[in-house]
Amino acid sequence: MTSPVAAARAALGGLWEEPPAVAVILGSGFAAVARDWPVRERRAYSGIPGFPACGVQGHAGELLVVDTPAGGAAIFSGRLHAYEGLAPAEVVFPVDLAAALGARAILLTAAAGGIRPDLAPGDLVLAADHINLAGWVPPVGDGFLDLTEVYDPRLRSALRDTAHTRGVPLPEAVLACVRGPVYETPAEVRMLGRLGADLVCMSTVPEAIRARALGLPVAALLCVANRAAGLAPDLLSHADVLDRVEGSVARHAPWLLQGIAAMARSA
């Protein structure tokens, strides 16, 4: 019996003359980054065999074929979440498909709440490590998986160096992942800070784990959408998250495309 990933790969095989150099998963608000990118073709997730439905506002639910200076890229515009009721294997389906398509590296992006005082709304931040509090992990194969260095230093360096050429600081941080879909309480945010978390989100970490299980080098780029609960006077809303992230990443679109190319050269 053909697996869902194999069926999806067979349906998409003609989109690239060569395997995509890099795959990218765009999180909440990050679809704005691709508006001015050279998109050669689009495929709705609903038109790809076996691809789980993507139903969260701010996630376009389409696969983009984008040309970069270092080759083609597979851009998954819209991610899948466990809080949508999806099984672990469904949440990481784009990661599995990226690996099946032959991508040499993957970039995960997401909106996050800022905990560390120097991380302001609108900032872009690289994940250097994570704390998985989501209560689940994706399939990792037989045995145990070493996560000493989840986020690849070469890929992080490629993104950081590209950002610095444009005068964009790209600090590194520890990302905490919770299941969602509720935002954290102020008490939980204080706990996360004491545990060593600088940012908190509801995604990314399971996909990073799955990528490493497949031997795929991974980097994660977060946009600080807001100060986490209790650290700012405003209440949190998904609409505000989308507005903040879209405004920030749209300004960074040119160098991010160059950064993806630099990742391809480093992978």
Side-chain angles (χ1 to χ4, degrees):
M1 180 180 296
T2 302
S3 73
V5 172
R9 181 189 182 280
L12 298 170
L15 292 182
W16 294 271
E17 293 181 3
E18 298 181 356
V22 176
V24 182
I25 296 179
L26 300 179
S28 294
F30 268 87
V33 79
R35 288 172 185 162
D36 296 323
W37 285 358
V39 178
R40 180 157 38 89
E41 193 161 350
R42 300 172 184 269
R43 291 285 180 91
Y45 290 173
S46 59
I48 301 173
F51 209 115
C54 176
V56 178
Q57 181 186 2
H59 295 258
E62 58 182 6
L63 174 62
L64 311 178
V65 178
V66 172
D67 293 319
T68 84
I75 311 295
F76 294 88
S77 184
R79 69 151 30 87
L80 308 166
H81 304 84
Y83 64 69
E84 298 177 69
L86 298 174
E90 292 178 304
V91 173
V92 298
F93 186 91
V95 178
D96 287 12
L97 181 53
L101 289 169
R104 301 195 302 272
I106 188 165
L107 174 64
L108 309 173
T109 70
I115 299 173
R116 204 171 75 198
D118 65 308
L119 301 180
D123 286 353
L124 295 182
V125 184
L126 281 174
D129 204 345
H130 71 235
I131 301 171
N132 186 10
L133 299 174
W136 66 279
V137 295
V140 296
D142 297 330
F144 298 92
L145 178 66
D146 181 82
L147 295 179
T148 303
E149 204 165 60
V150 183
Y151 303 98
D152 190 88
R154 296 171 302 164
L155 301 184
R156 285 153 51 194
S157 179
L159 287 168
R160 189 169 51 249
D161 291 348
T162 305
H164 286 178
T165 64
R166 302 297 182 94
V168 177
L170 204 58
E172 296 195 338
V174 175
L175 176 67
C177 173
V178 298
R179 185 180 178 88
V182 298
Y183 292 112
E184 306 73 38
T185 68
E188 289 168 338
V189 170
R190 292 194 298 272
M191 176 196 71
L192 291 172
R194 288 167 184 156
L195 288 175
D198 304 309
L199 295 165
V200 58
C201 75
M202 303 174 191
S203 64
T204 305
V205 166
E207 294 148 306
I209 293 171
R210 180 59 177 166
R212 295 306 303 126
L214 295 173
L216 198 60
V218 60
L221 181 70
L222 296 310
C223 181
V224 182
N226 48 260
R227 297 286 290 151
L231 301 179
D234 300 325
L235 297 179
L236 305 180
S237 78
H238 188 58
D240 289 342
V241 166
L242 294 179
D243 286 345
R244 174 76 69 177
V245 176
E246 288 174 359
S248 176
V249 301
R251 295 193 301 273
H252 294 291
W255 80 257
L256 276 173
L257 187 61
Q258 296 296 323
I260 292 168
M263 285 179 55
R265 298 185 189 101
S266 299

